Amino acid sequence: MVAVIGDASVDPAGAKAVAARQVGALIIDRRWRLVTGGMGGVMKEASAGARASAAWVDGDIIGVLPGSDPAAANPFIDVVIPTGMDHLRNSIVAHADAIIVIGGGAGTLSEIALGWIYRRLIVALPHEGWGARLAGMRIDQRVRYKDMPGDCIHAAASCDEAIELVARLLPQYQRRHSDIKTRIVS
Amino acid sequence: MVAVIGDASVDPAGAKAVAARQVGALIIDRRWRLVTGGMGGVMKEASAGARASAAWVDGDIIGVLPGSDPAAANPFIDVVIPTGMDHLRNSIVAHADAIIVIGGGAGTLSEIALGWIYRRLIVALPHEGWGARLAGMRIDQRVRYKDMPGDCIHAAASCDEAIELVARLLPQYQRRHSDIKTRIVS
Amino acid sequence: MVAVIGDASVDPAGAKAVAARQVGALIIDRRWRLVTGGMGGVMKEASAGARASAAWVDGDIIGVLPGSDPAAANPFIDVVIPTGMDHLRNSIVAHADAIIVIGGGAGTLSEIALGWIYRRLIVALPHEGWGARLAGMRIDQRVRYKDMPGDCIHAAASCDEAIELVARLLPQYQRRHSDIKTRIVS
Amino acid sequence: MVAVIGDASVDPAGAKAVAARQVGALIIDRRWRLVTGGMGGVMKEASAGARASAAWVDGDIIGVLPGSDPAAANPFIDVVIPTGMDHLRNSIVAHADAIIVIGGGAGTLSEIALGWIYRRLIVALPHEGWGARLAGMRIDQRVRYKDMPGDCIHAAASCDEAIELVARLLPQYQRRHSDIKTRIVS
């Protein structure tokens, strides 16, 4: 399952929308599933792209909604998961196997921060927003994976490269969050 | 999307497991999707039954996990949603369009209580546990739907009847939780 | 920290309100802290009673709100914790050291179910609602504490008895929830 | 209520610890309450500083824990709120009236992102980490407050200045998060 995150509102004719649709389609072409926050902008465009893939099968596109009403989902979601959790549903999106970032504001930033904590593979496209600002960087100095000195928010110059990075790196990103920390370090 | 909830551990040869598998299969036979908490017991048996339906398509069976690791899901889940939310993932299961109860302990009870708050259609089979204890009853006196004096945890004597009840009543259970209450009533 | 839970709306002159105020006052008289969901009904009356105790010190009364706005708290809360979590804030209330139940509907029932899972001491007064329905009963058959065959929702006939039960039993209720379950039992 | 957030582990003799203790003390000197995540590092040092203020009263220092066990709190917390929510408890800390940032990694970043969404006043000290990286910047271009063109993560050069900024700006930061977004913008 690959998450696509980014701006909750985009110009449907702009570069972010084009990239989101392309990434969505490529994810389905690979026979992965797509998960988003189920609403508009990058979430909607990625879902539309996924739906347009020749490889799409009903059930491939999951939307994890902030509200309680499944009717709020964009029309390209196959599996609607209403949560009633508001922005905390970002944490569920951030549990995806891999996360691809296209621009993004504060909500996207919260997903990146949580995805980093959850040791997820994160790939950022160069579109304006937190994707561009964090591409190639580390969120903090924690060692998420031993023997992986290059761990970072991986930068991808194109949608194809983003998908290639996910395909190549995902086998190395298999550790999961060890859940609740109960001891104080210092 | 129909949720099946109940005991997290059951005898695979016992009545609850048989019912869970049958309900799971009937849900898929109807071309609905199944959602469970993704773990063992009734969750696992319902998923196994769903997988065995001739109508099953990959993507029909959703498991919303308490932990962060998708590997914890039972082997019959198609779409694994790790949440890291522990028992609060019960609230997501309780957002399903309809909920079928097979026995159940405290976790199941929390899902029934939340499903009641979220105005969901709840149908209980007569198996020992909270399903049997609440079948035919109301959780409290709130009017969830005007002009629906018979609103309650609907009792079903058999799996077939449970599915029939869902099919017949679901169109009347379309109101959604109005989210956060911010005013004090008294 | 002792939680008082129950109806979100009560007649201020009725038996539930009187009991809530009395229990709130007795909690503070003991120099414990009170936690509630911060809104109306039993939550408000318990807080009012706590505030009226001669032993009350600012900071003794905590309200964990469903919404994001601290202004929604009832006027007797000292420490307002807005959560934006809607009914899931019930889970935080259910983490209190002990829980006293006065009546209650579905929200209260979700708190009792979660408090049972979290191995908390729960004492129910005989007022109509889930408190009365569950007093003296067990939520399910799990062994929350070895060597404690009498573990149940403890019934108290009066506010004084409820407080006595908390004082006497709390030292035995020290085990905490072991957090996220990641293995399937069967 | 003012939150202090930052590194979960610090050198007790280092600049971050000194600043955290000073900020904690100044918060209590002002007769505000302090809320932190209740664990170590900046959370612990701020709490220690708060406890050392001559104005401290029991109940002034709140710790919102990730786990279920109140015993995990650092020893300077007065009001322990165990949540069992893991990193999602960051969202509760981010609901404080104002947030002061001292360094910080991914957890702190998630709190800043959520605090920005919740329209909170955020003040960052110049210590290495997300505090320094975001001081003086905006998280995204949303208009959190009309007629407040200078809205940003406010930069403070010293602890005294941070407290002054909170005192001066807090009256302007009174809008609250309007909770769950249910419509798609585009």
Side-chain angles (χ1 to χ4, degrees):
Chain A
M1 190 120 72
V2 178
V4 178
I5 66 175
D7 300 61
S9 173
V10 297
D11 172 2
K16 286 178 180 175
V18 171
R21 288 196 296 269
Q22 193 177 346
V23 163
L26 291 169
I27 285 169
I28 303 301
D29 290 346
R30 292 266 182 172
R31 299 304 309 127
W32 299 330
R33 283 199 166 93
L34 169 68
V35 62
T36 73
M39 302 294 283
V42 161
M43 301 175 264
K44 180 178 167 187
E45 301 298 336
S47 303
R51 186 68 74 87
S53 163
W56 171 76
V57 176
D58 189 11
D60 280 348
I61 308 171
I62 292 94
V64 182
L65 299 184
S68 295
D69 191 348
N74 72 58
F76 306 105
I77 301 294
D78 298 327
V79 179
V80 179
I81 314 273
T83 67
M85 291 166 63
D86 203 357
H87 288 276
L88 295 192
R89 71 80 152 83
N90 295 358
S91 172
I92 297 175
V93 175
H95 273 92
D97 297 309
I99 301 166
I100 297 176
V101 190
I102 299 175
T108 301
L109 181 58
S110 72
E111 285 166 329
I112 295 172
L114 292 169
W116 184 262
I117 291 169
Y118 301 151
R119 296 199 185 91
R120 299 299 80 223
L121 167 59
I122 308 173
V123 175
L125 282 161
H127 300 276
E128 187 185 14
W130 282 102
R133 286 168 80 170
L134 293 174
M137 299 180 66
R138 300 174 53 80
I139 299 298
D140 56 26
Q141 294 311 313
R142 73 182 71 191
V143 178
R144 306 201 307 160
Y145 289 88
K146 290 180 188 171
D147 307 322
M148 201 198 287
D151 178 38
C152 67
I153 310 289
H154 297 277
S158 68
C159 296
D160 282 320
E161 189 185 349
I163 297 295
E164 286 293 335
L165 279 169
V166 170
R168 179 154 55 82
L169 296 177
L170 193 52
Q172 301 168 40
Y173 277 86
Q174 294 301 314
R175 282 190 70 200
R176 291 284 166 171
H177 182 52
S178 49
D179 301 317
I180 294 166
K181 175 185 166 191
T182 48
R183 282 164 310 153
I184 292 178
V185 177
S186 84
Chain B
M1 191 119 73
V2 178
V4 178
I5 66 175
D7 300 61
S9 172
V10 298
D11 172 1
K16 286 177 180 176
V18 170
R21 288 195 297 268
Q22 192 177 348
V23 163
L26 290 169
I27 285 169
I28 304 301
D29 290 347
R30 291 268 182 171
R31 298 304 309 130
W32 299 329
R33 283 199 166 93
L34 169 68
V35 63
T36 72
M39 302 294 283
V42 161
M43 301 176 264
K44 181 178 167 188
E45 301 298 336
S47 303
R51 187 68 73 88
S53 163
W56 170 77
V57 176
D58 189 12
D60 280 349
I61 309 171
I62 291 94
V64 182
L65 300 185
S68 295
D69 191 347
N74 73 57
F76 307 104
I77 302 294
D78 299 326
V79 178
V80 179
I81 313 275
T83 68
M85 291 167 64
D86 204 356
H87 288 277
L88 295 192
R89 71 80 152 83
N90 295 358
S91 172
I92 297 176
V93 175
H95 274 92
D97 297 309
I99 300 167
I100 298 176
V101 190
I102 299 175
T108 301
L109 181 58
S110 72
E111 285 166 327
I112 295 171
L114 292 169
W116 183 262
I117 291 169
Y118 302 151
R119 296 199 185 91
R120 300 299 79 225
L121 167 59
I122 307 174
V123 175
L125 282 161
H127 300 277
E128 187 186 13
W130 283 103
R133 287 168 80 169
L134 294 174
M137 300 179 66
R138 302 173 51 81
I139 299 297
D140 57 26
Q141 294 312 312
R142 72 183 69 192
V143 178
R144 306 201 306 160
Y145 290 88
K146 290 179 187 171
D147 307 321
M148 200 198 287
D151 178 38
C152 67
I153 310 287
H154 299 277
S158 68
C159 296
D160 282 320
E161 189 185 350
I163 297 295
E164 286 293 336
L165 279 169
V166 170
R168 179 154 55 82
L169 296 177
L170 193 54
Q172 301 168 40
Y173 278 86
Q174 295 300 315
R175 282 190 69 201
R176 291 284 165 169
H177 181 52
S178 48
D179 301 316
I180 294 168
K181 175 185 166 191
T182 47
R183 283 165 310 153
I184 292 178
V185 177
S186 85
Chain C
M1 191 119 75
V2 179
V4 177
I5 67 175
D7 301 62
S9 173
V10 298
D11 173 1
K16 286 178 180 176
V18 170
R21 288 195 297 269
Q22 192 178 347
V23 163
L26 290 168
I27 285 169
I28 303 301
D29 289 348
R30 290 268 182 169
R31 298 303 310 127
W32 299 329
R33 283 198 166 93
L34 168 69
V35 63
T36 74
M39 303 293 285
V42 161
M43 301 175 264
K44 180 177 166 187
E45 301 298 336
S47 303
R51 186 69 74 87
S53 162
W56 170 77
V57 175
D58 189 11
D60 280 349
I61 308 171
I62 291 94
V64 182
L65 299 184
S68 294
D69 191 347
N74 73 57
F76 307 104
I77 301 294
D78 298 326
V79 178
V80 179
I81 313 275
T83 68
M85 292 168 62
D86 203 357
H87 288 278
L88 296 191
R89 71 79 152 85
N90 295 358
S91 172
I92 297 176
V93 175
H95 273 93
D97 296 309
I99 300 167
I100 297 176
V101 190
I102 299 175
T108 300
L109 181 58
S110 72
E111 285 166 328
I112 294 172
L114 292 170
W116 184 262
I117 292 170
Y118 301 151
R119 297 199 184 90
R120 299 297 80 224
L121 167 59
I122 307 174
V123 175
L125 282 162
H127 301 276
E128 187 185 13
W130 283 103
R133 286 168 80 170
L134 294 174
M137 299 179 67
R138 301 173 52 81
I139 300 297
D140 56 27
Q141 295 311 313
R142 74 183 69 191
V143 178
R144 306 201 306 161
Y145 290 87
K146 290 180 187 172
D147 308 320
M148 200 198 287
D151 178 39
C152 67
I153 310 288
H154 297 278
S158 68
C159 296
D160 282 321
E161 189 185 349
I163 296 294
E164 286 293 336
L165 279 169
V166 171
R168 179 154 55 82
L169 297 176
L170 194 53
Q172 300 169 41
Y173 277 86
Q174 294 302 313
R175 281 191 69 201
R176 290 283 165 171
H177 183 51
S178 48
D179 301 317
I180 294 169
K181 174 187 165 189
T182 48
R183 283 165 308 152
I184 292 178
V185 177
S186 86
Chain D
M1 190 119 74
V2 178
V4 177
I5 67 175
D7 301 60
S9 173
V10 297
D11 172 1
K16 286 177 180 176
V18 170
R21 289 194 296 269
Q22 193 177 346
V23 164
L26 291 169
I27 286 169
I28 304 301
D29 289 347
R30 291 268 182 169
R31 297 304 309 128
W32 299 330
R33 283 198 166 93
L34 169 68
V35 63
T36 73
M39 302 294 284
V42 160
M43 301 175 264
K44 180 177 166 187
E45 300 299 336
S47 303
R51 186 70 73 87
S53 162
W56 170 76
V57 175
D58 190 11
D60 280 348
I61 308 171
I62 291 94
V64 182
L65 299 184
S68 295
D69 191 347
N74 73 57
F76 307 104
I77 302 294
D78 299 327
V79 178
V80 180
I81 314 274
T83 68
M85 291 167 64
D86 203 357
H87 288 277
L88 296 191
R89 70 81 152 82
N90 295 358
S91 172
I92 298 176
V93 175
H95 274 92
D97 296 309
I99 300 167
I100 297 176
V101 190
I102 300 175
T108 300
L109 181 59
S110 72
E111 284 166 329
I112 294 172
L114 292 169
W116 184 261
I117 292 169
Y118 301 150
R119 296 199 184 91
R120 299 299 81 225
L121 166 60
I122 308 175
V123 175
L125 282 161
H127 301 276
E128 187 185 14
W130 283 103
R133 287 168 79 170
L134 294 174
M137 300 179 65
R138 300 173 53 80
I139 299 297
D140 56 25
Q141 294 312 314
R142 73 183 71 192
V143 177
R144 307 201 307 161
Y145 289 87
K146 290 179 189 171
D147 307 320
M148 200 198 288
D151 179 37
C152 67
I153 310 287
H154 298 277
S158 68
C159 296
D160 282 321
E161 189 185 350
I163 297 295
E164 286 293 337
L165 280 169
V166 171
R168 180 153 55 82
L169 297 176
L170 194 53
Q172 301 169 39
Y173 277 86
Q174 294 301 314
R175 281 190 70 202
R176 290 284 165 170
H177 182 52
S178 49
D179 300 317
I180 294 168
K181 174 186 168 191
T182 48
R183 283 165 309 152
I184 291 178
V185 178
S186 86

